Amino acid sequence: LGFKDGGATAMARKLRACIASREPAERMAAISLAQGYGRRCALLMCHGFAALAASFALVCRTNAERRSAPFFGRLRELGYLFQLETLLSTRGDEWAMLQDTQGVV
């Protein structure tokens, strides 16, 4: 996925710069970059939605087994809070992965 060049956030920044450029070569490069950015975002959203669905299903199942009416009442009133934790650092390729995680959230 090209983590050496940064995550989705860095790709979006480069794409904006290419689109804003007055140079024809830069604007042509934007087409290729936009395709890569689109593929990356589609993949990230698939991962994000899968994590959200799995988390939601697990919490609902656990609370249904406990017959926790207050949980479902709060869920109906407030919605579902999806919290994400990671063991990634801000060094090297992991910084790009953190940018991708930020993009999904």
Side-chain angles (χ1 to χ4, degrees):
L1 287 172
F3 286 119
K4 291 180 182 177
D5 296 332
T9 306
M11 288 179 83
R13 201 174 311 119
K14 288 177 190 174
L15 181 58
R16 276 194 298 272
C18 284
I19 291 171
S21 175
R22 297 190 187 271
E23 296 294 322
E26 287 287 321
R27 296 193 81 157
M28 292 303 290
I31 295 170
S32 174
L33 192 55
Q35 290 173 338
Y37 179 70
R39 283 191 300 269
R40 178 101 162 228
C41 288
L43 177 68
L44 294 174
M45 294 310 287
C46 289
H47 285 275
F49 286 136
L52 173 63
S55 170
F56 184 71
L58 181 63
V59 168
C60 286
R61 181 178 173 186
T62 301
N63 283 284
E65 289 171 355
R66 293 179 184 164
R67 304 213 187 287
S68 177
F71 167 78
F72 290 104
R74 280 192 311 273
L75 182 63
R76 192 174 32 251
E77 284 181 42
L78 305 173
Y80 183 67
L81 174 63
F82 181 58
Q83 181 177 339
L84 192 68
E85 293 182 30
T86 180
L87 296 175
L88 296 172
S89 70
T90 56
R91 301 183 121 179
D93 291 350
E94 290 183 353
W95 175 244
M97 291 181 234
L98 279 173
Q99 286 181 343
D100 285 351
T101 303
Q102 177 190 12
V104 169
V105 174

